[in-house]
Amino acid sequence: MKNVVVLTGAGISAESGISTFRDTGGLWEQYDIREVATYEGWLKNKELVTDFYNQRRKQLLEVEPNYGHIGLAELEKQFKVFVITQNVDNLHERAGSSFVMHLHGELTKVRSEKYEQLIYELTPDKYEVKIGDVCEKGYQLRPHIVWFGEAVPMIEQAIEITQKADILVVIGTSLNVYPAAALVDFINQGTPVYLIDPNEVSINRKNVHVIKKNASEGVKILTDILLKEYIQ
Ligand code: APR
């Protein structure tokens, strides 16, 4: 089976009703990144940050995976699919993808603000975190999210997987945020890249096939192409 590595961003969840970050009306137009997505913001106002992520968690309970997520899970019948996502939602998992790596953390987890290895899974009946909710050593729980300025612990593993790609698929990311955006530099020369996005995205690679569509339609088109090219 060929290895298909898929790098996804906020755009794949847009049709499920989760807003992207940098499109018009996106999250970073409504909120100040420095206040809700940096460690300094957390130190300044833990309540505000906790509320922001509680809202994101509540929204996650109300949405469903779309065909973008589902189609990628279905591709596993013919390919070995590795999803590397910048998203903190769990829609890839809920759609049935068996390998999902979260580069920027997960909304459904929290961790100790002091001991980063103390990570806890939230359950749908207790998604809300409060100031005063602490780890087993008595320290406040913070979102298990990689904020701006923080290291991306999974990046080495993500690079290793990307290097083994026979096919790279990039869906719904503006490729503005590093190191995630630099993953595309680690594929072998000649490895084909399929880019699904309704808008122009600048990607500095040769052999890029642009599918200028929303994720759900784009994944259908991609599936047809991959089956024709590699399976039939
Ligand atoms: N289908 C596919 N792509 C879409 C759709 C859709 N229905 N709607 C919008 N897009 C595209 C946009 O055109 C854009 O290229 O999704 C991309 C979203 O880009 P960003 O908002 O910048 O999101 P992303 O690239 O995931 O951001 C990276 O930045 O804020 C941080 O940590 C956060 O993980 C996030 C990272």
Side-chain angles (χ1 to χ4, degrees), residues 9-11 21-23 28 86 104 172-174 177 197-199 214-215:
F21 296 99
R22 294 174 185 79
D23 290 305
W28 297 149
Q86 296 166 84
H104 293 163
T173 171
S174 61
V177 173
D197 202 297
N199 298 306
N214 284 340

Side-chain angles (χ1 to χ4, degrees), residues 28 31-38 41-42 48-49 52-53 147:
W28 297 149
Y31 295 91
D32 185 337
I33 289 184
R34 285 160 305 179
E35 288 194 347
V36 297
T38 65
W42 168 251
L48 178 90
V49 176
F52 174 77
Y53 287 99
W147 286 324

Side-chain angles (χ1 to χ4, degrees), residues 50-163:
T50 300
D51 275 355
F52 174 77
Y53 287 99
N54 280 338
Q55 280 174 40
R56 310 270 79 73
R57 293 183 186 109
K58 183 165 177 283
Q59 183 188 39
L60 187 52
L61 287 176
E62 291 159 2
V63 302
E64 297 292 337
N66 64 64
Y67 189 77
H69 306 98
I70 294 165
L72 291 179
E74 286 177 354
L75 265 189
E76 291 187 15
K77 290 180 201 138
Q78 291 91 5
F79 298 93
K80 220 164 164 7
V81 182
F82 299 87
V83 177
I84 302 175
T85 187
Q86 296 166 84
N87 297 345
V88 295
D89 65 50
N90 57 5
L91 296 180
H92 283 300
E93 288 91 339
R94 282 162 54 190
S97 279
S98 40
F99 182 96
V100 184
M101 176 186 282
H102 288 271
L103 286 178
H104 293 163
E106 290 168 80
L107 271 180
T108 53
K109 292 180 180 167
V110 284
R111 68 170 188 260
S112 165
E113 68 172 341
K114 186 165 168 72
Y115 296 99
E116 58 184 33
Q117 71 281 15
L118 295 180
I119 301 168
Y120 305 88
E121 186 98 37
L122 299 167
T123 50
D125 57 314
K126 207 215 161 285
Y127 253 17
E128 213 166 72
V129 183
K130 295 193 179 59
I131 298 301
D133 288 349
V134 293
C135 73
E136 65 224 50
K137 292 188 188 282
Y139 290 92
Q140 178 62 43
L141 297 176
R142 60 160 273 180
H144 186 52
I145 299 284
V146 175
W147 286 324
F148 287 94
E150 293 190 313
V152 178
M154 302 307 284
I155 197 69
E156 289 302 324
Q157 256 175 281
I159 290 172
E160 276 173 35
I161 290 167
T162 308
Q163 283 169 332

